[in-house]
Amino acid sequence: MKKEVPIVVLDFGSQYTQLVARKLRESGVYTEVVPYHESIEDIKARKPQGIILSGGPASVYAEDAYKPDDAIWDLGLPILGICYGMQLITQHFGGEVVPADHHEYGKARLHVENECPIFNGVTDNEIVWMSHGDKAERLPEGFKVIGTSENSPYAAIADESRNIYAFQYHPEVHHSVEGTHMLKNFAKYICGCDSTWNMGSFAKEKIDDIRKQVGDRKVLCGVSGGVDSSVVAALLHEALPKEQLVCVFVDQGLLRKDEAVQVQNMFKMLDIDLITIDAKEEFMSALAGVTDPETKRKAIGEKFIEVFDKEASKHQDVSFLAQGTLYTDVIESVSVKGPSKTIKSHHNVGGLPDWMTFELVEPLREIFKDEVRKLGLELGLPKDMIGRHPFPGPGLAIRVMGEVNEEALRLLRESDAIMQEELKATGYYDKVWQAFTVLLNVQSVGVMGDNRTYDNTVCVRMVESVDGMTATFAHIPHDILEGMSRRIINEIDGINRVVYDISSKPPATIEWE
């Protein structure tokens, strides 16, 4: 029997869909994302108080356009459509949707045209985020305009008699300044939801889920030392007797400087037993001659599975593999809830090979990095561990452009260590979401003393973000960047140039590969 879900989001494939759920959960309203084609029986079983239709990459007038079960319109529940969801509402109720003469991407100012409960307390002319290539040309009968922007005369519409609302913009993204407020207004004032859900209740729910899934069998937990896998280990430690949890740390030779020792010390402090496997040679062998980013990621993922399976065979009754998979990993890799586009594959996403004998335990699969940190604090993990910057599962392999070898890893480790030291010394480590260096494998001419050099270029990448779905490059003072550059070039043989990455996500991703 499905539990009650105050707000159900139908996913039509937007990269931002899960942000809708995250924003509402942040406001205390439990929300779940389901595929756009979810059956009306399954939707009813959740006993929702409201439905949100997400954005998506398709066009509603296309022959194979994504459509929900028609019965959702007859449930009598409040409905909010976002972008594609708005166009779906417009078309369903007899309006017209056409390709826009000018695609609209980025910031716009929303002018509130009519009083409406969904805009309670919202500031007029505030920034919202647009991302669409189609537009409503004619509104359905019964709908009125409640918001406009410079390029969108129908930026927000409503039929209050039927409790149906729609936005052309994305209130769920960080750049829509009062978007969370609007979503909360929909849940609170229009759907009548209470704000009772929090990370403490999520922790209890996941601990209960783990106990039900695992029973009296054993779980192998893959540990990287990062925030995600550490929180998963802490959840499992809380949920299961010590003898049922086998935590395995694979030193694959792709870690940052001194990281293996730091991981081992951290788990001692948590009083969680940790098995360390030295698999450097196996991983380096698997990466020999590999230059394509996707091939690297898949080779590393396959090798991790092999190593874990080999370790599991040493323990009786191991039936599960636990991973720190996040929703950002999932949405960039595969379309799980809806028809979203694949951005890149992640080593821990997409299920297990057919030959494996155990199931996955992924308690963080539907939440974001900032929520994971809150969960970690709820579980009592120390703040310095929770505050660590994200580190990719494939490790430094995807921060070396081209083939991975020991010399490339040396240059990357040393430059990254210096960059981290300078960030911490200047107080900027906790001011940025993520910071790292990338070895470009591009040589350039330089001069040191009276000698000509022809050495490597390192790129420093620092971004500011809330959830990892969107990011902007960090505006670090030039004197700090200059100090990093000077130390990297002076202290590391083989590097004579440092550059700074000023691209944002989108269009770039945070990691280079």
Side-chain angles (χ1 to χ4, degrees), residues 58-63 65-67 84-85 87-89 91 97 134:
S59 295
V60 295
Y61 49 77
E63 191 174 330
Y66 308 130
K67 299 289 176 68
Y84 182 90
Q87 293 155 17
L88 195 66
I89 287 169
Q91 183 191 66
V97 178
D134 296 328

Side-chain angles (χ1 to χ4, degrees), residues 53-156:
L53 311 178
S54 84
S59 295
V60 295
Y61 49 77
E63 191 174 330
D64 57 350
Y66 308 130
K67 299 289 176 68
D69 190 317
D70 268 346
I72 69 161
W73 309 110
D74 301 322
L75 291 175
L77 295 173
I79 295 176
L80 171 63
I82 296 172
C83 198
Y84 182 90
M86 172 185 178
Q87 293 155 17
L88 195 66
I89 287 169
T90 300
Q91 183 191 66
H92 177 79
F93 287 101
E96 184 179 4
V97 178
V98 299
D101 295 331
H102 301 286
H103 293 190
E104 193 174 14
Y105 300 105
K107 295 178 181 178
R109 289 198 175 273
L110 178 72
H111 178 59
V112 177
E113 296 287 348
N114 287 288
E115 285 190 14
C116 183
I118 206 163
F119 289 147
N120 281 354
V122 172
T123 307
D124 193 21
N125 284 321
E126 192 52 270
I127 295 292
V128 293
W129 188 261
M130 296 282 190
S131 182
H132 63 98
D134 296 328
K135 67 176 183 179
E137 179 78 358
R138 176 173 51 82
L139 295 187
E141 187 176 344
F143 282 79
K144 67 179 181 181
V145 177
I146 58 173
T148 62
S149 70
E150 184 178 356
N151 294 313
S152 292
Y154 304 140

Side-chain angles (χ1 to χ4, degrees), residues 314-332:
K314 300 176 184 178
H315 305 268
Q316 289 186 339
D317 301 322
V318 172
S319 304
F320 300 91
L321 171 64
Q323 296 185 153
T325 309
L326 302 190
Y327 188 76
T328 42
D329 302 332
V330 173
I331 198 64
E332 287 190 339

